[in-house]
């Protein structure tokens, strides 16, 4: 009597990543026969791949637990749950106290960003500031873009630019 079998195994090249970065997955399954089918499931949606060693890009922050399902040429199959992957990415947003102002008015910018221990950089009217929330006085008449950049303690970053927000 010959017993056939397959053992699904796999891994990723990283366990912590920034949203938008590419992750590579490696199949390390063991089988007494040729493996004919691979099915990787990357997240809670329907995102999957049927190649042996795929790559995937997680865009949204969260904890994801990939799954590998393999089938050999005799129809034996197995599944493996991989180690969870932590995806970090700041979620950037801000409010402006007023967008229609007069010259020399003070405008408050309230940061609504979310993330892990964020650092900020604002760019307005050729001015750069590094606080969570800022106030700014516009000394001349024009339309201004407002840019906010954030980086978290893992080095993951994002930005938002609101065009012609101040008139």
């Amino acid at each position: 009597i010959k017993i056939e079998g397959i053992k699904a195994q796999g891994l990723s090249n990283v366990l912590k990543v920034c949203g938008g970065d590419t992750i590579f997955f490696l199949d390390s399954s063991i089988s007494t026969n040729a493996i004919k089918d691979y099915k990787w499931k990357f997240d809670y949606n329907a995102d999957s791949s049927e190649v042996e060693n795929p790559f995937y890009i997680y865009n949204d922050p969260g904890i994801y637990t990939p799954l590998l399902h393999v089938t050999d040429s005799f129809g034996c199959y197995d599944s493996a749950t991989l180690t969870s992957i932590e995806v970090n990415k700041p979620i950037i947003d801000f409010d402006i106290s007023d967008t229609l102002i007069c010259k020399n008015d003070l405008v408050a910018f309230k940061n609504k960003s979310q993330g892990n221990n964020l650092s900020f950089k604002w760019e307005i009217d050729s001015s750069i500031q590094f606080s969570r929330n800022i106030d700014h006085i516009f000394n001349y008449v024009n339309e201004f873009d407002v840019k906010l950049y954030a980086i978290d303690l893992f080095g993951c970053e994002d930005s938002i630019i609101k065009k012609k927000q101040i008139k």
Side-chain angles (χ1 to χ4, degrees):
I1 296 176
K2 182 176 181 186
I3 307 296
E4 303 296 338
I6 189 168
K7 175 70 177 160
Q9 298 178 148
L11 55 102
S12 65
N13 65 322
V14 293
L15 298 178
K16 275 191 179 185
V17 67
C18 294
D21 290 350
T22 301
I23 299 176
F24 295 93
F25 292 90
L26 176 67
D27 168 66
S28 57
S29 299
I30 301 167
S31 178
T32 56
N33 297 295
I35 298 174
K36 69 171 191 157
D37 291 316
Y38 298 89
K39 176 91 177 200
W40 294 84
K41 292 187 100 179
F42 300 113
D43 60 24
Y44 311 108
N45 300 323
D47 290 345
S48 63
S49 176
E50 294 184 359
V51 299
E52 182 179 359
N53 298 308
F55 66 90
Y56 189 75
I57 297 171
Y58 292 96
N59 289 307
D60 297 324
I63 305 291
Y64 299 92
T65 306
L67 176 72
L68 171 61
H69 182 88
V70 291
T71 306
D72 72 14
S73 58
F74 280 155
C76 298
Y77 58 89
D78 191 31
S79 296
T81 301
L82 278 66
T83 303
S84 295
I85 296 170
E86 180 180 343
V87 179
N88 294 287
K89 182 177 184 179
I91 300 170
I92 308 301
D93 197 13
F94 63 89
D95 286 335
I96 304 169
S97 62
D98 195 355
T99 58
L100 185 57
I101 63 167
C102 296
K103 180 179 164 184
N104 296 321
D105 280 354
L106 180 71
V107 179
F109 295 87
K110 183 177 180 192
N111 193 330
K112 298 176 11 182
S113 302
Q114 301 171 25
N116 292 310
N117 197 18
L118 299 176
S119 298
F120 301 101
K121 177 177 138 185
W122 294 85
E123 291 182 6
I124 306 169
D125 181 28
S126 70
S127 171
I128 296 175
Q129 297 184 47
F130 296 96
S131 300
R132 178 169 185 82
N133 300 300
I134 63 168
D135 296 323
H136 189 80
I137 296 174
F138 294 89
N139 297 318
Y140 58 96
V141 177
N142 201 350
E143 291 182 331
F144 299 92
D145 296 342
V146 180
K147 302 172 188 174
L148 173 60
Y149 303 88
I151 187 168
D152 69 15
L153 77 129
F154 304 109
C156 303
E157 54 189 291
D158 201 4
S159 64
I160 187 170
I161 300 172
K162 295 187 178 182
K163 298 267 187 195
K164 297 183 169 84
Q165 287 297 299
I166 304 297
K167 300 175 182 167

